[in-house]
């Protein structure tokens, strides 16, 4: 749904192959988006595609299917390591949190394809959050929040 400055609204479609898109600030559950094609600029809000589904570790790795996931230990073990994240696309943001305070996951810096600015990050409860961005085949830390 697109609404113009004079209140006219309607459906629209566009091909992303010829459009330069940049994303700016995150705000709650959505993000401001700017799309440019020639002299036209589209500005609007889009929902962050994250379902907070649980991904269970297998050999210190998960494969993501959205932009937000809970991470669980393999076999419901008390502790486990997250070294590798598969899936996603270049420049994608990814939010991760733990699934249970009784099953502690440690995101490992430099062991697989995670590059964490503050070293390893331990999800000690369900409100701890790690934000990553994909650059090539590597996931880079953007921020972390320990909310015990």
């Amino acid at each position: 749904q697109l609404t113009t400055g004079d209140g006219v609204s309607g459906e629209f479609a566009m091909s992303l192959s010829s459009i330069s898109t940049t994303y700016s600030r995150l705000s709650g559950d959505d993000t401001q988006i700017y799309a440019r094609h020639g002299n036209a600029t589209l500005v609007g809000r889009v929902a962050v595609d994250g379902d907070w589904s649980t991904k269970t570790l297998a050999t210190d790795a998960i494969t993501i299917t959205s932009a937000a996931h809970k991470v669980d230990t393999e076999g419901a073990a008390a502790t486990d390591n997250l070294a590798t994240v598969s899936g996603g696309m270049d420049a994608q943001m990814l939010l991760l949190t733990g699934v249970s305070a009784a099953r502690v996951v440690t995101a490992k810096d430099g062991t697989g394809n995670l590059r964490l600015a503050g070293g390893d990050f331990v999800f000690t409860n369900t409100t701890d959050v790690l934000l990553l961005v994909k650059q090539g085949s590597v996931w880079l830390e953007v921020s972390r929040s320990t909310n015990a």
Side-chain angles (χ1 to χ4, degrees):
Q1 184 76 15
L2 176 67
T3 304
T4 65
D6 58 1
V8 176
S9 64
E11 298 292 321
F12 74 99
M14 66 175 76
S15 169
L16 295 178
S17 62
S18 63
I19 295 176
S20 169
T21 305
T22 58
Y23 302 89
S24 65
R25 63 187 170 79
L26 286 173
S27 173
D29 290 336
D30 58 5
T31 185
Q32 187 77 28
I33 185 172
Y34 298 91
R36 292 206 166 121
H37 181 64
N39 292 329
T41 300
L42 173 67
V43 179
R45 292 196 179 281
V46 294
V48 174
D49 179 22
D51 60 9
W52 289 111
S53 61
T54 299
K55 295 297 177 180
T56 302
L57 285 157
T59 319
D60 295 348
I62 60 170
T63 298
I64 64 165
T65 55
S66 78
H69 288 293
K70 297 175 185 176
V71 182
D72 200 0
T73 59
E74 187 171 359
T79 62
D80 206 344
N81 293 326
L82 170 62
T84 302
V85 174
S86 298
M89 60 186 175
D90 206 36
Q92 177 179 336
M93 303 292 272
L94 173 63
L95 290 166
L96 297 175
T97 190
V99 74
S100 169
R103 297 192 300 273
V104 177
V105 172
T106 301
K108 302 297 286 181
D109 176 40
T111 303
N113 68 345
L114 301 182
R115 301 299 179 265
L116 307 179
D120 293 353
F121 181 72
V122 181
F123 297 97
T124 57
N125 62 64
T126 60
T127 58
D128 293 345
V129 179
L130 182 62
L131 177 61
L132 304 168
V133 64
K134 189 171 187 182
Q135 183 180 50
S137 62
V138 176
W139 288 92
L140 306 172
E141 179 178 347
V142 175
S143 69
R144 62 175 66 193
S145 182
T146 303
N147 298 299

